[in-house]
Amino acid sequence: MTPWNSSWTNSTLLAGKTEMTTQSDKTNNEKPNKYVSLSGEGTAFVHEFNEVRVKVSAEQTGGLFEIFEENCRPGFQSRTHYHSRNHQTFHIMEGEARFVLDGEACDVAAGGTVHIPPGVVHQISSEQGVRMLQIYTPGGIEAMFAEIDSLPKDKLKDPEVTKALLRKHDTVMVKEQAGGGAKGTVLG
């Protein structure tokens, strides 16, 4: 249930989000800037081993950050990679994930949070499945997921195409995983 704020005077459901306007928004004719994204709402990028759902987009925050909910099926494993300018924070809501950060493994269960600053090489996996909230700062990773989804499957299998696409969106692959690669999107 969404907590109610008495300064909110109008609520309209808009394409995957509820937009709230305040009394001051109405009197000053300012563009509304408060959003509520309810369970199951938001643009979804669905892949074999994971689903990423946009809860707050970079567009909504002026590019400052994005928030995603990611549901990973059992056996999910990302590729080892890093971001040169993005901070990435994960909060585990359900299940457990193994984070390998600069070669050091850490198992994180529900309620735990992991912050990964730019330049830290990382890989994420979950044997049992995991549901996480992710915050990217600055925003822009949603555009990568959208571009991945727009490519034909044969292009996604082309390592040169995916390498260029990922670099364009501040994601640098380090190496392939032992035992046959990752399981998820082009990142997993």
Side-chain angles (χ1 to χ4, degrees):
M1 177 177 238
T2 304
W4 177 253
N5 179 326
S6 61
S7 70
W8 293 344
T9 58
N10 184 32
S11 165
T12 309
L13 188 61
L14 299 172
K17 64 185 173 287
T18 302
E19 185 173 306
M20 301 295 229
T21 59
T22 66
Q23 194 70 314
S24 64
D25 290 335
K26 284 185 166 185
T27 57
N28 296 330
N29 293 322
E30 295 175 2
K31 183 178 180 182
N33 61 0
K34 294 175 179 76
Y35 300 90
V36 175
S37 180
L38 301 175
S39 179
E41 291 183 340
T43 302
F45 301 100
V46 181
H47 302 274
E48 184 179 353
F49 278 87
N50 64 332
E51 174 185 304
V52 178
R53 187 172 295 276
V54 180
K55 301 308 284 181
V56 178
S57 71
E59 180 181 357
Q60 293 168 325
T61 67
L64 295 174
F65 66 92
E66 295 168 311
I67 300 177
F68 300 94
E69 179 181 333
E70 183 171 14
N71 291 295
C72 301
R73 290 186 176 93
F76 172 83
Q77 179 176 304
S78 73
R79 294 182 183 173
T80 302
H81 64 283
Y82 67 92
H83 307 283
S84 56
R85 66 178 176 83
N86 284 75
H87 290 259
Q88 194 172 10
T89 302
F90 296 85
H91 180 75
I92 309 301
M93 297 188 299
E94 294 176 15
E96 184 174 303
R98 171 164 283 192
F99 290 80
V100 179
L101 309 172
D102 282 338
E104 293 182 40
C106 180
D107 294 324
V108 182
T113 302
V114 175
H115 176 74
I116 305 172
V120 173
V121 174
H122 57 282
Q123 187 264 335
I124 304 156
S125 61
S126 179
E127 290 300 317
Q128 307 299 320
V130 65
R131 184 170 158 244
M132 313 180 273
L133 199 60
Q134 297 181 40
I135 303 169
Y136 286 89
T137 308
I141 297 292
E142 176 186 0
M144 178 188 72
F145 290 117
E147 194 167 341
I148 288 168
D149 276 12
S150 73
L151 289 176
K153 289 189 187 275
D154 62 319
K155 291 285 186 190
L156 283 175
K157 293 181 181 181
D158 182 333
E160 293 306 313
V161 169
T162 58
K163 184 177 177 179
L165 182 149
L166 295 172
R167 270 201 186 276
K168 175 180 170 184
H169 297 286
D170 190 41
T171 302
V172 181
M173 292 301 156
V174 175
K175 64 179 179 177
E176 280 297 323
Q177 302 300 297
K183 298 174 183 173
T185 65
V186 73
L187 280 181

